[in-house]
Amino acid sequence: MKTTRLLPAGTVSSPGAPHCAGNTCPGIIPGNCATTHAEVNALAKAQQLLESADVVDLYVTHSPCRECMVQIMNSHLSVRRLLFEVPYRNSDHLVTLRQPYRRRMAGLSYKRNTAVYEVTPAGYIVEYFSRRVVELP
């Protein structure tokens, strides 16, 4: 039986420090950010509530940075669709999600890929790479 439920949202958090803002942040250098991004927090919460083989859709405000994309790919959950409103300052790495990537779980190896969509201010859902407006079931 297929069930649909909304899971807790993730928030941006930084241990003992306020979240940095914009391109002056030291975290602009990959691997130099102490902040836990919302995508990683949301996935961590979802992994506590769901079975490892569950399929999820991930809704975020900004498209994931490179480090968050790696977390999405390595998640124990199968992220079927990623929807965002604002493209990250550099989103070239998102093409990796589009292509099938290998995942190992419970001793099995399988391929999966994640569809990537941008939600426009007018509410249209646009396939990120082809720029085509789509309707999702």
Side-chain angles (χ1 to χ4, degrees):
M1 181 169 128
K2 181 180 176 180
T3 60
T4 302
R5 59 183 167 157
L6 183 61
L7 297 175
T11 58
V12 176
S13 62
S14 185
H19 181 61
C20 50
N23 292 324
T24 59
C25 169
I28 196 167
I29 301 167
N32 200 30
C33 184
T35 301
T36 303
H37 291 182
E39 301 93 312
V40 175
N41 280 331
L43 284 172
K45 289 178 186 177
Q47 288 178 141
Q48 293 172 355
L49 298 170
L50 299 172
E51 301 294 323
S52 61
D54 283 346
V55 176
V56 298
D57 293 337
L58 184 60
Y59 295 84
V60 295
T61 305
H62 295 267
S63 64
C65 66
R66 184 175 304 279
E67 288 79 16
C68 288
M69 183 201 65
V70 170
Q71 294 293 325
I72 291 168
M73 292 174 69
N74 290 329
S75 169
H76 292 274
L77 301 170
S78 181
V79 179
R80 173 181 57 172
R81 295 187 286 219
L82 168 69
L83 295 97
F84 64 87
E85 182 181 2
V86 181
Y88 190 68
R89 62 182 164 243
N90 178 357
S91 297
D92 295 343
H93 56 276
L94 292 178
V95 71
T96 306
L97 292 172
R98 181 182 188 189
Q99 302 160 356
Y101 48 92
R102 231 173 242 292
R103 211 31 213 113
R104 289 193 65 81
M105 187 167 43
L108 300 173
S109 179
Y110 64 95
K111 288 184 179 181
R112 71 175 183 194
N113 63 327
T114 301
V116 181
Y117 301 97
E118 182 177 352
V119 181
T120 69
Y124 293 105
I125 299 173
V126 178
E127 201 281 327
Y128 186 66
F129 303 105
S130 70
R131 307 307 299 166
R132 289 182 303 165
V133 175
V134 297
E135 281 190 39
L136 299 179

